Amino acid sequence: MSIYADTQTPSHFAAAVNAVYGFAVARARDLLQFLKNRRDAASLSGLDERMLADIGLTRGDLRDAYSEPVWRDPTTILVSRAHERRINRRRTALGLTEKTFQAPSIVPAPQTHATPVHARYY
């Protein structure tokens, strides 16, 4: 006979309470992280141009990040801008040129001989 035979499984009510509690804790953690990220981004506005350039940002990047709606995290824009500049600096240091793409022209090529207007429709 097992010593665990008399234990009961948790009720559906207890499982629901645990699920709601877990959801609330996760949302509270997300909110705290969001507030921390906004505070960190705000502290960047106190840096001078040279210090911002050291981390790959400009004042324009800060303005762009704060022009987003309040519910969006401004640090995502700042991280992507700094990452773009870091990649471009590496490409330049390695002597790689900008990526060029050969796209077809949207302007029609000039015709060498003109087709009479009445001949086009018959």
Side-chain angles (χ1 to χ4, degrees):
M1 181 177 249
S2 173
I3 60 171
Y4 298 109
D6 295 334
T7 60
Q8 294 180 340
T9 59
S11 67
H12 293 294
F13 177 73
V17 168
N18 284 337
V20 169
Y21 177 73
F23 180 78
V25 167
R27 295 295 76 81
R29 187 177 300 132
D30 291 343
L31 178 65
L32 291 174
Q33 183 66 41
F34 174 78
L35 293 174
K36 179 189 173 297
N37 289 347
R38 292 231 19 118
R39 186 184 64 226
D40 291 345
S43 69
L44 290 175
S45 64
L47 300 178
D48 64 358
E49 304 300 325
R50 181 185 53 82
M51 295 171 102
L52 285 173
D54 285 345
I55 58 176
L57 295 174
T58 64
R59 290 271 172 221
D61 296 334
L62 294 176
R63 279 192 301 273
D64 291 346
Y66 276 107
S67 68
E68 291 290 314
V70 176
W71 58 86
R72 289 197 185 149
D73 186 7
T75 58
T76 56
I77 291 175
L78 298 175
V79 167
S80 69
R81 298 278 174 88
H83 183 67
E84 283 175 17
R85 287 193 182 94
R86 188 176 310 120
I87 287 173
N88 288 333
R89 265 187 271 136
R90 286 181 186 156
R91 289 182 59 81
T92 304
L94 294 174
L96 300 175
T97 60
E98 285 291 318
K99 293 181 183 177
T100 58
F101 299 100
Q102 296 297 327
S105 175
I106 60 171
V107 177
Q111 295 181 352
T112 57
H113 62 286
T115 307
V117 175
H118 66 284
R120 286 190 215 161
Y121 300 107
Y122 296 111

mmCIF file of all heavy atoms in Angstrom, residues 2 9 14-16 20 34 36-37 42 59 62 72 76 83 85 88-89 98 106-107 113 120:
data_model
loop_
_atom_site.group_PDB
_atom_site.id
_atom_site.type_symbol
_atom_site.label_atom_id
_atom_site.label_comp_id
_atom_site.label_asym_id
_atom_site.label_seq_id
_atom_site.Cartn_x
_atom_site.Cartn_y
_atom_site.Cartn_z
ATOM 1 N N SER A 2 0.527 2.225 -0.796
ATOM 2 C CA SER A 2 1.325 3.434 -0.949
ATOM 3 C C SER A 2 0.978 4.450 0.128
ATOM 4 O O SER A 2 -0.161 4.528 0.592
ATOM 5 C CB SER A 2 1.060 4.033 -2.327
ATOM 6 O OG SER A 2 1.687 5.277 -2.435
ATOM 7 N N THR A 9 -6.327 15.081 -5.362
ATOM 8 C CA THR A 9 -5.874 15.956 -6.444
ATOM 9 C C THR A 9 -6.476 17.341 -6.212
ATOM 10 O O THR A 9 -7.545 17.464 -5.621
ATOM 11 C CB THR A 9 -6.328 15.406 -7.808
ATOM 12 O OG1 THR A 9 -7.753 15.324 -7.815
ATOM 13 C CG2 THR A 9 -5.716 14.051 -8.081
ATOM 14 N N ALA A 14 -9.105 25.355 -7.263
ATOM 15 C CA ALA A 14 -7.717 25.660 -6.927
ATOM 16 C C ALA A 14 -6.879 25.832 -8.193
ATOM 17 O O ALA A 14 -6.018 26.707 -8.258
ATOM 18 C CB ALA A 14 -7.138 24.559 -6.051
ATOM 19 N N ALA A 15 -7.136 25.016 -9.207
ATOM 20 C CA ALA A 15 -6.408 25.140 -10.465
ATOM 21 C C ALA A 15 -6.725 26.474 -11.137
ATOM 22 O O ALA A 15 -5.834 27.130 -11.678
ATOM 23 C CB ALA A 15 -6.747 23.985 -11.389
ATOM 24 N N ALA A 16 -7.974 26.910 -11.078
ATOM 25 C CA ALA A 16 -8.365 28.191 -11.666
ATOM 26 C C ALA A 16 -7.715 29.350 -10.915
ATOM 27 O O ALA A 16 -7.234 30.307 -11.533
ATOM 28 C CB ALA A 16 -9.872 28.337 -11.666
ATOM 29 N N VAL A 20 -5.147 32.102 -12.562
ATOM 30 C CA VAL A 20 -5.370 33.551 -12.485
ATOM 31 C C VAL A 20 -4.198 34.226 -11.781
ATOM 32 O O VAL A 20 -3.716 35.280 -12.207
ATOM 33 C CB VAL A 20 -6.713 33.858 -11.780
ATOM 34 C CG1 VAL A 20 -6.841 35.334 -11.443
ATOM 35 C CG2 VAL A 20 -7.872 33.402 -12.643
ATOM 36 N N PHE A 34 8.497 46.968 -18.348
ATOM 37 C CA PHE A 34 8.166 48.081 -19.229
ATOM 38 C C PHE A 34 8.546 49.410 -18.574
ATOM 39 O O PHE A 34 9.161 50.277 -19.212
ATOM 40 C CB PHE A 34 6.668 48.051 -19.542
ATOM 41 C CG PHE A 34 6.192 49.239 -20.315
ATOM 42 C CD1 PHE A 34 6.428 49.319 -21.670
ATOM 43 C CD2 PHE A 34 5.514 50.264 -19.695
ATOM 44 C CE1 PHE A 34 5.992 50.419 -22.388
ATOM 45 C CE2 PHE A 34 5.080 51.361 -20.407
ATOM 46 C CZ PHE A 34 5.315 51.435 -21.753
ATOM 47 N N LYS A 36 10.761 49.905 -16.226
ATOM 48 C CA LYS A 36 12.222 49.964 -16.128
ATOM 49 C C LYS A 36 12.827 50.378 -17.464
ATOM 50 O O LYS A 36 13.734 51.221 -17.512
ATOM 51 C CB LYS A 36 12.778 48.611 -15.699
ATOM 52 C CG LYS A 36 14.296 48.567 -15.604
ATOM 53 C CD LYS A 36 14.776 47.139 -15.393
ATOM 54 C CE LYS A 36 16.266 47.035 -15.451
ATOM 55 N NZ LYS A 36 16.826 47.396 -16.749
ATOM 56 N N ASN A 37 12.322 49.818 -18.570
ATOM 57 C CA ASN A 37 12.835 50.164 -19.893
ATOM 58 C C ASN A 37 12.585 51.633 -20.225
ATOM 59 O O ASN A 37 13.433 52.311 -20.797
ATOM 60 C CB ASN A 37 12.220 49.277 -20.966
ATOM 61 C CG ASN A 37 12.734 47.861 -20.897
ATOM 62 O OD1 ASN A 37 13.713 47.567 -20.232
ATOM 63 N ND2 ASN A 37 12.054 46.960 -21.581
ATOM 64 N N ALA A 42 14.782 57.062 -20.740
ATOM 65 C CA ALA A 42 14.752 58.467 -20.321
ATOM 66 C C ALA A 42 16.112 58.908 -19.805
ATOM 67 O O ALA A 42 16.503 60.070 -19.989
ATOM 68 C CB ALA A 42 13.679 58.676 -19.256
ATOM 69 N N ARG A 59 20.377 61.996 -31.125
ATOM 70 C CA ARG A 59 19.202 62.643 -30.522
ATOM 71 C C ARG A 59 17.945 62.313 -31.318
ATOM 72 O O ARG A 59 16.868 62.163 -30.762
ATOM 73 C CB ARG A 59 19.384 64.158 -30.474
ATOM 74 C CG ARG A 59 20.402 64.601 -29.516
ATOM 75 C CD ARG A 59 19.814 64.823 -28.153
ATOM 76 N NE ARG A 59 20.940 65.071 -27.257
ATOM 77 C CZ ARG A 59 21.020 64.575 -26.061
ATOM 78 N NH1 ARG A 59 20.060 63.839 -25.583
ATOM 79 N NH2 ARG A 59 22.064 64.824 -25.307
ATOM 80 N N LEU A 62 16.466 59.127 -30.149
ATOM 81 C CA LEU A 62 15.713 59.290 -28.900
ATOM 82 C C LEU A 62 14.350 59.909 -29.175
ATOM 83 O O LEU A 62 13.335 59.477 -28.610
ATOM 84 C CB LEU A 62 16.494 60.147 -27.907
ATOM 85 C CG LEU A 62 17.798 59.559 -27.382
ATOM 86 C CD1 LEU A 62 18.499 60.561 -26.476
ATOM 87 C CD2 LEU A 62 17.556 58.268 -26.650
ATOM 88 N N ARG A 72 4.057 51.365 -26.190
ATOM 89 C CA ARG A 72 5.154 50.661 -26.853
ATOM 90 C C ARG A 72 6.463 50.932 -26.132
ATOM 91 O O ARG A 72 6.702 52.016 -25.619
ATOM 92 C CB ARG A 72 5.278 51.104 -28.299
ATOM 93 C CG ARG A 72 4.144 50.585 -29.133
ATOM 94 C CD ARG A 72 4.480 50.666 -30.583
ATOM 95 N NE ARG A 72 3.326 50.269 -31.370
ATOM 96 C CZ ARG A 72 3.078 50.750 -32.559
ATOM 97 N NH1 ARG A 72 3.865 51.625 -33.106
ATOM 98 N NH2 ARG A 72 2.017 50.339 -33.211
ATOM 99 N N THR A 76 13.099 49.157 -27.832
ATOM 100 C CA THR A 76 13.196 48.307 -29.022
ATOM 101 C C THR A 76 13.696 49.105 -30.216
ATOM 102 O O THR A 76 14.515 48.609 -30.998
ATOM 103 C CB THR A 76 11.852 47.648 -29.351
ATOM 104 O OG1 THR A 76 10.853 48.659 -29.508
ATOM 105 C CG2 THR A 76 11.425 46.694 -28.260
ATOM 106 N N HIS A 83 21.998 48.731 -33.435
ATOM 107 C CA HIS A 83 22.424 47.511 -34.134
ATOM 108 C C HIS A 83 22.684 47.802 -35.613
ATOM 109 O O HIS A 83 23.681 47.334 -36.181
ATOM 110 C CB HIS A 83 21.371 46.426 -33.973
ATOM 111 C CG HIS A 83 21.749 45.126 -34.584
ATOM 112 N ND1 HIS A 83 22.774 44.351 -34.110
ATOM 113 C CD2 HIS A 83 21.255 44.482 -35.672
ATOM 114 C CE1 HIS A 83 22.884 43.270 -34.863
ATOM 115 N NE2 HIS A 83 21.974 43.328 -35.815
ATOM 116 N N ARG A 85 23.594 50.638 -36.977
ATOM 117 C CA ARG A 85 24.830 51.414 -37.116
ATOM 118 C C ARG A 85 26.063 50.552 -36.874
ATOM 119 O O ARG A 85 27.087 50.724 -37.517
ATOM 120 C CB ARG A 85 24.801 52.597 -36.161
ATOM 121 C CG ARG A 85 23.851 53.662 -36.633
ATOM 122 C CD ARG A 85 24.008 54.962 -35.903
ATOM 123 N NE ARG A 85 23.033 55.899 -36.399
ATOM 124 C CZ ARG A 85 21.846 56.101 -35.846
ATOM 125 N NH1 ARG A 85 21.519 55.469 -34.754
ATOM 126 N NH2 ARG A 85 21.011 56.961 -36.362
ATOM 127 N N ASN A 88 26.677 48.571 -40.018
ATOM 128 C CA ASN A 88 27.206 49.405 -41.093
ATOM 129 C C ASN A 88 28.651 49.805 -40.839
ATOM 130 O O ASN A 88 29.441 49.900 -41.778
ATOM 131 C CB ASN A 88 26.335 50.641 -41.301
ATOM 132 C CG ASN A 88 25.020 50.289 -41.945
ATOM 133 O OD1 ASN A 88 24.916 49.306 -42.669
ATOM 134 N ND2 ASN A 88 23.989 51.070 -41.663
ATOM 135 N N ARG A 89 29.009 50.046 -39.573
ATOM 136 C CA ARG A 89 30.405 50.355 -39.262
ATOM 137 C C ARG A 89 31.305 49.170 -39.571
ATOM 138 O O ARG A 89 32.403 49.328 -40.092
ATOM 139 C CB ARG A 89 30.560 50.752 -37.790
ATOM 140 C CG ARG A 89 30.512 52.242 -37.579
ATOM 141 C CD ARG A 89 30.825 52.598 -36.160
ATOM 142 N NE ARG A 89 29.549 52.593 -35.445
ATOM 143 C CZ ARG A 89 29.335 52.072 -34.259
ATOM 144 N NH1 ARG A 89 30.306 51.534 -33.591
ATOM 145 N NH2 ARG A 89 28.146 52.100 -33.701
ATOM 146 N N GLU A 98 27.902 49.393 -49.857
ATOM 147 C CA GLU A 98 26.480 49.268 -49.570
ATOM 148 C C GLU A 98 25.862 48.195 -50.458
ATOM 149 O O GLU A 98 26.310 47.972 -51.587
ATOM 150 C CB GLU A 98 25.759 50.598 -49.824
ATOM 151 C CG GLU A 98 26.009 51.625 -48.767
ATOM 152 C CD GLU A 98 25.360 51.261 -47.453
ATOM 153 O OE1 GLU A 98 24.201 50.789 -47.454
ATOM 154 O OE2 GLU A 98 26.021 51.426 -46.420
ATOM 155 N N ILE A 106 10.902 50.986 -64.136
ATOM 156 C CA ILE A 106 9.456 51.080 -64.318
ATOM 157 C C ILE A 106 9.113 51.985 -65.490
ATOM 158 O O ILE A 106 7.966 52.113 -65.874
ATOM 159 C CB ILE A 106 8.758 51.584 -63.042
ATOM 160 C CG1 ILE A 106 9.279 52.963 -62.652
ATOM 161 C CG2 ILE A 106 8.930 50.608 -61.909
ATOM 162 C CD1 ILE A 106 8.496 53.608 -61.527
ATOM 163 N N VAL A 107 10.135 52.619 -66.074
ATOM 164 C CA VAL A 107 9.945 53.477 -67.235
ATOM 165 C C VAL A 107 10.086 52.608 -68.481
ATOM 166 O O VAL A 107 11.072 51.888 -68.627
ATOM 167 C CB VAL A 107 11.001 54.615 -67.242
ATOM 168 C CG1 VAL A 107 10.854 55.482 -68.481
ATOM 169 C CG2 VAL A 107 10.913 55.410 -65.982
ATOM 170 N N HIS A 113 11.101 52.193 -83.496
ATOM 171 C CA HIS A 113 10.242 52.563 -84.611
ATOM 172 C C HIS A 113 8.831 52.768 -84.069
ATOM 173 O O HIS A 113 8.371 52.051 -83.192
ATOM 174 C CB HIS A 113 10.255 51.492 -85.701
ATOM 175 C CG HIS A 113 9.737 50.165 -85.230
ATOM 176 N ND1 HIS A 113 10.467 49.341 -84.408
ATOM 177 C CD2 HIS A 113 8.565 49.551 -85.450
ATOM 178 C CE1 HIS A 113 9.747 48.250 -84.137
ATOM 179 N NE2 HIS A 113 8.596 48.348 -84.760
ATOM 180 N N ARG A 120 -2.342 49.670 -84.463
ATOM 181 C CA ARG A 120 -2.327 49.014 -83.148
ATOM 182 C C ARG A 120 -3.650 48.321 -82.825
ATOM 183 O O ARG A 120 -3.676 47.349 -82.108
ATOM 184 C CB ARG A 120 -2.060 50.046 -82.054
ATOM 185 C CG ARG A 120 -0.646 50.516 -82.006
ATOM 186 C CD ARG A 120 -0.439 51.335 -80.758
ATOM 187 N NE ARG A 120 0.495 52.397 -81.069
ATOM 188 C CZ ARG A 120 0.637 53.484 -80.366
ATOM 189 N NH1 ARG A 120 -0.130 53.687 -79.327
ATOM 190 N NH2 ARG A 120 1.527 54.370 -80.686
#
